[in-house]
Amino acid sequence: MNSENKEIFRDTIATIDDSGNRNFIFPKKPKGRFYNYRTIVSWVLLAIMVASPFIKIKGNQFLLFNVIERKFHIFGFPFWPQDFHLLVISLLVSVVFIILFTVIFGRIFCGWMCPQTIFMEMVFRKVEYLIEGDRPKQIKLDKQDWNAEKIRKRLLKWITFFIISFVISNVFLAYIIGSDQVLSYITDGPFEHLNTLIYLLVFTAVFYFIFAWFREQVCIIVCPYGRLQGVLLDNKSINVAYDFVRGEGDNGRKKLRKDENRDDLGHGDCIDCKQCVQVCPTGIDIRNGTQLECINCTACIDACDEIMDKTGFDRGLIRYASEDDIEKKEKFKFNARLIAYSAILTILVVVLTTMLFLRTDLEATILRLPGQTFQSTETTVKNVYTVKFINKTTEDIENVEIKLISHNGSIEMIGGIMNIEKQGLKEGTLFIEINKIDLSSSKEKLKIGIYSNGKLIEKTSTNFSGPIKIN
């Protein structure tokens, strides 16, 4: 780090000028092996994101998060509000995995898999390069007066951004209300569903605002993950890092001059070309060390490797490395902290997997009818109940019967044997009658079996009220 930046680089951010106004970043178009890898990964993830709501498995949407109707499909498997405990465990697994992943690899998720980065750098930014050109042309266009060229290019860019934002909103809508519903709305025409259209336009405006104006500010200001990494990272975490030992030498970086021996002069391999700064989408100087704004997008690695190739120096002046690797040449290895995180993650995954396997196909709830007391004869006691069945499968459950397991007695289901449609909910009323001599107290816990075609598919329990036993 050179002396002129040493005192100020932590006190300012590139996206805000000295007056506190927004300073727009015009990053140079990246090129290189990492950018090519990221492009491939991004297109694969975009394809998965767009296709997932329209893929069906046994009639179920591959991914559905219908909060309004409380319908959820994960990889084609239907989940209900009664499976909320599975969601909690899944979230815990995700959180611990993100913590472990961040401790090891830093903010690599942000640069390679985050939807914000993928949309911004691999969709909207590419459109911008196509219409307005690379960094110098964008800066020139931004500074010039509003002439015919600027109006034409800006209008074309803004309209394209709006169309892409509208498409993204429709895809996200398909995740919420279902792809079939979205397609039916499109077939019917937007004005047949004005309320949905208004919501859609609101989300379109939000996406447009983010990708046309707010941009990298999401990563710097809004994203909580950026704050989280500051707590989780340590000197052993692998980040996109500048090798300051090699780059600075004894006397710091210096512009390249012909026929000079940099080793004798004590200068490092960094020739201060600032290409790493120009390609950075958040406008930082990676040579100032690990910073909150860095999203590990690797654009600076590609830019630096290109310069190293041209100057004849070895690649890797900027690379994936930890601070200990750069300063002490210590390679990454698991420590007690990482082992603890890994153990917790393993336990949670085992618990989640076990709970998924133990998840029943039918959810049965049997409750005494509120406000009703038991009916007693000389020999028997009868209670009335409401019953609710939820079929969590993609197939009908036929010939459903209810039988007592823990006591001798009878169950009379109003309507008799029933069928429950796939992913359906069915409610009913039933009477349970038990001989008095089989009751040991005024409140008994009954175990009840649910059968389909004579096969036990679920067990549940309920309370049974009767007269007070007098010894």
Side-chain angles (χ1 to χ4, degrees), residues 55 133 199 235 269 275 312 324 448:
I55 296 174
Y199 287 125
N235 292 344
D269 287 352
Q275 291 300 303
D324 282 353
I448 299 172

Side-chain angles (χ1 to χ4, degrees), residues 165-177:
S165 299
F166 187 73
V167 172
I168 294 173
S169 298
N170 276 274
V171 172
F172 274 83
L173 184 65
Y175 278 99
I176 298 173
I177 67 173

Side-chain angles (χ1 to χ4, degrees), residues 50-65:
V50 173
S52 291
F54 301 95
I55 296 174
K56 298 291 182 68
I57 297 178
K58 293 183 178 180
N60 293 329
Q61 192 166 303
F62 187 69
L63 289 175
L64 175 69
F65 306 97

Side-chain angles (χ1 to χ4, degrees), residues 200-440:
L200 200 58
L201 290 175
V202 169
F203 280 103
T204 300
V206 170
F207 285 123
Y208 179 83
F209 169 76
I210 290 173
F211 296 114
W213 190 85
F214 205 52
R215 302 190 155 201
E216 71 284 337
Q217 299 289 80
V218 173
C219 306
I220 298 173
I221 299 173
V222 178
C223 180
Y225 185 53
R227 300 292 187 272
L228 181 65
Q229 72 156 349
V231 179
L232 297 176
L233 298 184
D234 57 23
N235 292 344
K236 295 177 175 56
S237 300
I238 300 171
N239 286 292
V240 172
Y242 166 67
D243 189 339
F244 57 89
V245 175
R246 173 186 157 192
E248 301 297 312
D250 295 327
N251 295 322
R253 63 188 78 130
K254 182 181 180 291
K255 295 286 186 183
L256 186 64
R257 297 287 184 269
K258 289 184 178 180
D259 302 324
E260 69 175 3
N261 191 316
R262 296 177 68 88
D263 292 334
D264 291 343
L265 295 172
H267 295 294
D269 287 352
C270 178
I271 63 171
D272 205 20
C273 63
K274 293 186 170 59
Q275 291 300 303
C276 58
V277 181
Q278 292 182 18
V279 297
C280 180
T282 59
I284 67 167
D285 189 339
I286 191 65
R287 298 172 298 176
N288 287 333
T290 302
Q291 296 159 69
L292 174 69
E293 301 95 316
C294 180
I295 59 171
N296 283 15
C297 70
T298 70
C300 55
I301 296 180
D302 285 332
C304 186
D305 283 348
E306 184 181 11
I307 297 298
M308 293 295 103
D309 290 342
K310 290 179 179 179
T311 56
F313 297 142
D314 292 335
R315 288 186 168 197
L317 182 59
I318 302 175
R319 63 182 187 273
Y320 279 116
S322 67
E323 189 172 333
D324 282 353
D325 181 17
I326 291 172
E327 193 168 10
K328 305 175 185 178
K329 304 302 179 185
E330 291 182 2
K331 297 301 180 182
F332 172 82
K333 54 185 177 182
F334 268 72
N335 53 27
R337 180 188 182 194
L338 295 178
I339 293 173
Y341 285 143
S342 301
I344 294 172
L345 180 61
T346 302
I347 293 170
L348 288 173
V349 169
V350 170
V351 170
L352 177 61
T353 304
T354 303
M355 295 177 75
L356 286 172
F357 275 108
L358 293 177
R359 177 177 179 261
T360 58
D361 293 338
L362 183 71
E363 181 88 19
T365 306
I366 300 175
L367 300 172
R368 288 186 66 244
L369 190 65
Q372 296 292 319
T373 60
F374 61 86
Q375 300 173 21
S376 178
T377 65
E378 289 186 4
T379 57
T380 64
V381 179
K382 182 187 289 187
N383 280 268
V384 61
Y385 295 83
T386 60
V387 59
K388 179 187 291 185
F389 295 112
I390 297 176
N391 182 356
K392 299 179 182 179
T393 71
T394 57
E395 298 177 353
D396 295 342
I397 298 180
E398 299 177 339
N399 301 321
V400 175
E401 298 178 88
I402 306 174
K403 299 178 182 179
L404 282 170
I405 295 177
S406 59
H407 291 69
N408 292 320
S410 63
I411 295 180
E412 179 186 355
M413 183 75 186
I414 304 301
I417 296 174
M418 65 171 65
N419 298 325
I420 307 171
E421 295 180 354
K422 60 181 180 180
Q423 299 183 48
L425 183 149
K426 201 154 192 176
E427 297 178 318
T429 304
L430 58 84
F431 294 92
I432 299 179
E433 188 172 19
I434 299 176
N435 290 330
K436 287 183 177 180
I437 58 174
D438 292 328
L439 298 175
S440 58

